[in-house]
Amino acid sequence: MTAIAAPARLFARRPAVLATAAAVLASALVAGAALLLLGGGEKAGIRTVAAATGAFELSYPAGWEAAGPPELLATEGRPDALLRRSDSRGAVTVHEQPRLDGSLAEVKRDLDSRLERRMPDAKPVASRVVALETGRALSYTFVRERAGLVHGIVVAPLGGRTLMVETAARGDAADVATQIGGIVRSLRPGS
């Protein structure tokens, strides 16, 4: 798996009350209503970014920017896609990885263990299986109180590969969490 904390480097540290924002992010990742955010197509300012490999696509709303190939190559961990809010209140990265062995429950246990070792201030908030166009995926949400951030990790199948979607939003940005939920729910195989 990729380093879990990568999106956190995109934000300045800022203390905040995070439980509500984490709940919003977890709900947004599951709620079908978040798809309404992306339902208008290009007319509503919705844009699409595709992986260089063509394996997947994501849609994102106005106010978000997609990193181009030079920036992706220069970004730590070399993500296959990187979306960022222009006001720096949210980020979404996607990494293509080899197929993960094991069940989603085993992946969750691995995430619990990695968080405990790497980020002592991380507090898991929710984990559940969600249905995406790519198949059944694990959605895992946690907060980092000292950093003032709400993170999400979505482990999604894609044929014989796995997509690791990492999200981050400031703890005081419930609107951003809702947008992130819509972006993640738009994840689909490339055309």
Side-chain angles (χ1 to χ4, degrees):
M1 278 192 236
T2 62
I4 295 172
R9 290 184 198 94
L10 300 173
F11 305 104
R13 290 184 177 258
R14 182 174 168 195
V17 177
L18 301 172
T20 301
V24 168
L25 179 59
S27 296
L29 290 172
V30 175
L35 287 174
L36 295 175
L37 186 68
L38 301 171
E42 294 295 331
K43 293 177 189 170
I46 303 304
R47 291 167 281 172
T48 298
V49 63
T53 62
F56 67 88
E57 296 178 347
L58 286 170
S59 294
Y60 59 99
W64 286 77
E65 302 164 350
E71 186 178 357
L72 292 174
L73 288 172
T75 300
E76 184 178 339
R78 293 194 173 168
D80 295 291
L82 168 61
L83 300 172
R84 226 185 341 250
R85 275 211 22 150
S86 51
D87 63 5
S88 299
R89 294 189 315 146
V92 176
T93 60
V94 183
H95 294 268
E96 277 187 66
Q97 299 185 341
R99 183 178 174 178
L100 294 179
D101 293 327
S103 68
L104 292 178
E106 291 169 325
V107 171
K108 183 210 175 290
R109 282 193 297 276
D110 182 54
L111 286 172
D112 286 337
S113 175
R114 285 174 184 253
L115 279 178
E116 191 174 312
R117 281 192 321 267
R118 294 182 183 174
M119 290 183 252
D121 71 322
K123 304 232 181 308
V125 174
S127 77
R128 58 185 65 136
V129 176
V130 297
L132 299 176
E133 281 191 47
T134 60
R136 289 172 26 100
L138 174 68
S139 173
Y140 187 96
T141 307
F142 63 97
V143 297
R144 295 195 56 215
E145 292 175 347
R146 282 184 260 158
L149 297 172
V150 178
H151 289 269
I153 299 173
V154 177
V155 181
L158 185 65
R161 312 247 329 134
T162 298
L163 298 179
M164 181 72 64
V165 183
E166 300 175 63
T167 67
R170 289 191 175 162
D172 60 353
D175 60 326
V176 177
T178 300
Q179 290 177 336
I180 287 172
I183 292 168
V184 171
R185 301 244 349 135
S186 79
L187 181 67
R188 59 196 174 273
S191 41

